[in-house]
Amino acid sequence: MADETTSKVVRVDGDRCVGAGMCALTAPAVFTQDDDGFGQVLPGREDGGDPMVREAVRACPVQAISLEEIT
């Protein structure tokens, strides 16, 4: 049974991101690209609740996206 105090957060590692844009293409409701083309999580969408977040994690060619459980 899942702990009710556990939630998820999605993050983009800016040091690892190469600006491929797969996150924004895969889950545009969650990710965008900054002026330099690097991935960012849209404000208010950090909860990782969108079902396409897992696909974006898989699609990132440099594994710059993480979906972490927090308590």
Side-chain angles (χ1 to χ4, degrees):
M1 178 180 249
D3 183 359
E4 291 179 22
T5 62
T6 301
S7 60
K8 295 184 180 185
V9 63
V10 62
R11 296 188 174 115
V12 176
D13 182 341
D15 292 332
R16 186 175 271 189
C17 181
V18 295
M22 294 306 297
C23 56
L25 289 171
T26 304
V30 178
F31 300 97
T32 189
Q33 289 179 280
D34 67 13
D35 291 337
D36 295 321
F38 296 107
Q40 293 183 326
V41 179
L42 290 166
R45 298 308 310 245
E46 299 88 357
D47 67 355
D50 189 297
M52 292 306 293
V53 168
R54 290 187 188 278
E55 285 301 316
V57 170
R58 286 188 207 108
C60 181
V62 295
Q63 293 84 41
I65 305 169
S66 62
L67 183 60
E68 304 168 7
E69 287 190 8
I70 57 172
T71 53

